[in-house]
Structures are given as C-alpha cells and as structure tokens.
Amino acid sequence: MRKTLLTRVSLAGLIATVAGCSSTPPPPAPTVEKSFKTIASQFMTSDATRSQGTVVDKGMFYPKETFSLSYRYCSASAEQAQQDIDQFYQLAKKTCKANSGTMINQDTDAWCVSHPNTPDETPIFSARMTSTDLWADVCPTGPFVTMRVIENKDVDKTAWIDGAKLLGYQPYSVHRKIVPSNQSQAALFNEKETPAPEQEPWTEETGFIATHVGETVCMYKKTKDEAYGVTYKGKIQSVDDNRVSVLATEKLKGDIRIAPEIDPLPWYKEAVIEADARSWFICQ
C-alpha cells in the first residue's frame, strides 16, 4: 500500500513537472534583420538631419528600379557627414556578418559576398556612402551626403547576379581589382570620375535609346579638372550603328540625376552631340 502511494505521488509530481515545462515554453530567439536596404532606410530616418533627405536616381529601367536605392541629404557639418559614413559602413559590416558574408572593396562599392575570391562568389548586397561640398550653395549647414545600396532578396539568384553586374559588381576573376583592406574606410566610398562610354554596360535603357528617335535624353560628363561636371540635354535626331545623334538645347550644372536642383549653364541655342548609345540616359 505504501509503495503504491509513493508511486502515485512520484507519477503525479512527474506529470506536474512535464505540464509545467510544456505550459511555459522558452521565448523565441530574437530575429536578426538581414536586409541591408531595410537597415539603411532605418539609419536614414533615425536622425532628424538625415531624415530630411530624399530618394534620388531611382531610375526608370531595370535594374535600377529593382535593385538600387540612392538617398541624399544635407548634413549638419563636415564632421557629422564623416561620422555618418563611418556608422553606415559599420552597419554594412554587421549586416554582412549576419548574412554569413565577407566584405570586399571594389572600385565601385563595398560588396558583401559569400565565398569571397572563389569561382562560387555570390554578391549579397553593396554599400556606398559619400560626402561632397559641391552643392554647399544649397546646403548651408554642411556637405551633401549620398547613400547607395544595391540589394534584392526577392528575385531568383541568376536575375539578382545579372542585375548586380549591371550596377557595378565585378565577378571573381584573376584580373579583378580589389581595394586593399588596410585603406581607410572613407577611401572605400570616394567619388569616381565618370566611366568612359566603352566601360558602360548595354542595358534595357540603352536599347530603348538606340531605337527611339525623338526621345529626350541626357549625358553627364565630368573631367578631373571639373568640380561639378555637366549634363547635356536634348532630343535624339538619329541613330546609326548605335551612335546616337542628339540635338542638345540645355547644359545643366552637375549630374541632374542626383543634383539637388536644376541649375542651367550658358549654352548655345542648340548644338548636335554624337556619342555611343551607352553615353546617354533617359531624362525628363
């Protein structure tokens, strides 16, 4: 009788223990945000100064409208701009680690990749942030800061890699140039001179330009000796073997895709400019 009672008590205690465990499961582990576009957008809106900016150069054609986000704002000071750049890059490194990736620094952007420097290398996202005093006349408090993120987690792998290539990702090869990791963080985001047309990829936008006489197009040109560069704007007159002849009627200050305002410069009433179709982009 005593043995039976002890058995019942022990069994009841065991059931109570199991029931107690099953009724209070451990809290789920916090999820780590792996989308750098999401994190970068939160970074832009988490500060009163940064949140006053705007999205620029979204683009009308694939892959810009699908993969790329560019954002620009007036910083509070040169020091604040540099601090933002440093924080942005640290966020990129942290997000890359959450994606089990490695940061590599190419000529265009800092890219987070998996399987770095191997034939299996795959881009995950890219991050680039720059500051410039070129538009200080419209930024009374400090330089303009530009952020660019290239990422898309919602398409198949082949489409994503093809889009990343069009936007500057250089796949692994023995000839690929990697910026040394011992360079300063700010050096990873330096502004680059406009690439030669021969280096620009042939895109859907280029194909549209090469087949649509009468369309309004623009060309941005910048040399090492120019502070701003200029944008030429006009209508396509003719296309011959992918050479586009444009009747240009406007010359504008800077790259109008990211310039804070349209600022006309002295220009002929009209002039014909002929260049490779890849030199032009659609504009309004």
Side-chain angles (χ1 to χ4, degrees):
M1 178 73 179
R2 177 180 175 84
K3 183 176 181 181
T4 303
L5 180 60
L6 287 174
T7 301
R8 288 177 179 173
V9 172
S10 299
L11 182 59
L14 177 61
I15 293 173
T17 302
V18 172
C21 290
S22 62
S23 63
T24 55
T31 58
V32 178
E33 178 59 65
K34 293 186 178 181
S35 167
F36 190 58
K37 265 190 178 180
T38 300
I39 290 174
S41 297
Q42 292 171 349
F43 174 71
M44 285 296 103
T45 57
S46 64
D47 176 271
T49 300
R50 294 194 296 261
S51 63
Q52 297 301 311
T54 184
V55 174
V56 293
D57 193 22
K58 188 174 182 180
M60 297 169 57
F61 289 86
Y62 170 89
K64 284 185 181 179
E65 62 185 357
T66 307
F67 300 121
S68 180
L69 167 69
S70 295
Y71 184 89
R72 221 170 190 191
Y73 67 97
C74 287
S75 62
S77 65
E79 293 76 18
Q80 183 63 51
Q82 185 57 54
Q83 183 177 330
D84 284 353
I85 289 174
D86 293 341
Q87 290 179 357
F88 182 74
Y89 187 59
Q90 291 301 320
L91 281 174
K93 289 199 297 184
K94 186 179 296 185
T95 309
C96 187
K97 185 177 180 180
N99 281 276
S100 300
T102 301
M103 296 296 292
I104 62 171
N105 307 308
Q106 300 188 359
D107 285 336
T108 53
D109 301 318
W111 284 85
C112 175
V113 303
S114 58
H115 312 294
N117 300 315
T118 71
D120 296 324
E121 181 181 291
T122 303
I124 302 173
F125 68 81
S126 81
R128 182 177 183 224
M129 200 165 183
T130 58
S131 66
T132 174
D133 292 313
L134 297 183
W135 296 97
D137 50 341
V138 294
C139 278
T141 56
F144 247 51
V145 177
T146 302
M147 174 196 78
R148 184 170 82 148
V149 177
I150 301 172
E151 178 186 58
N152 195 314
K153 294 180 176 294
D154 301 322
V155 297
D156 66 85
K157 182 177 178 181
T158 300
W160 156 236
I161 294 177
D162 288 345
K165 289 178 183 177
L166 289 174
L167 291 170
Y169 169 68
Q170 301 169 25
Y172 168 76
S173 77
V174 294
H175 304 293
R176 182 176 70 178
K177 180 181 178 182
I178 299 295
V179 179
S181 59
N182 60 356
Q183 289 194 9
S184 67
Q185 292 179 6
L188 302 176
F189 301 99
N190 282 342
E191 295 282 3
K192 297 294 181 182
E193 185 179 349
T194 305
E198 292 74 21
Q199 296 175 328
E200 293 286 349
W202 187 272
T203 65
E204 181 184 351
E205 182 176 10
T206 307
F208 181 89
I209 289 169
T211 54
H212 283 73
V213 173
E215 190 69 36
T216 300
V217 293
C218 291
M219 175 199 293
Y220 173 66
K221 299 295 291 182
K222 180 180 181 296
T223 66
K224 292 180 179 179
D225 298 328
E226 290 180 309
Y228 300 89
V230 296
T231 298
Y232 298 98
K233 180 178 181 180
K235 292 186 180 296
I236 300 174
Q237 282 193 317
S238 63
V239 181
D240 184 14
D241 193 24
N242 295 327
R243 297 285 296 177
V244 177
S245 179
V246 173
L247 183 64
T249 55
E250 293 183 71
K251 182 180 180 181
L252 307 164
K253 178 181 176 181
D255 185 345
I256 66 167
R257 292 168 294 186
I258 57 176
E261 60 182 19
I262 303 300
D263 192 354
L265 297 174
W267 180 238
Y268 309 104
K269 183 177 180 181
E270 57 184 37
V272 176
I273 301 176
E274 182 182 299
D276 187 284
R278 292 170 292 185
S279 303
W280 303 93
F281 59 90
I282 297 293
C283 57
Q284 300 298 323

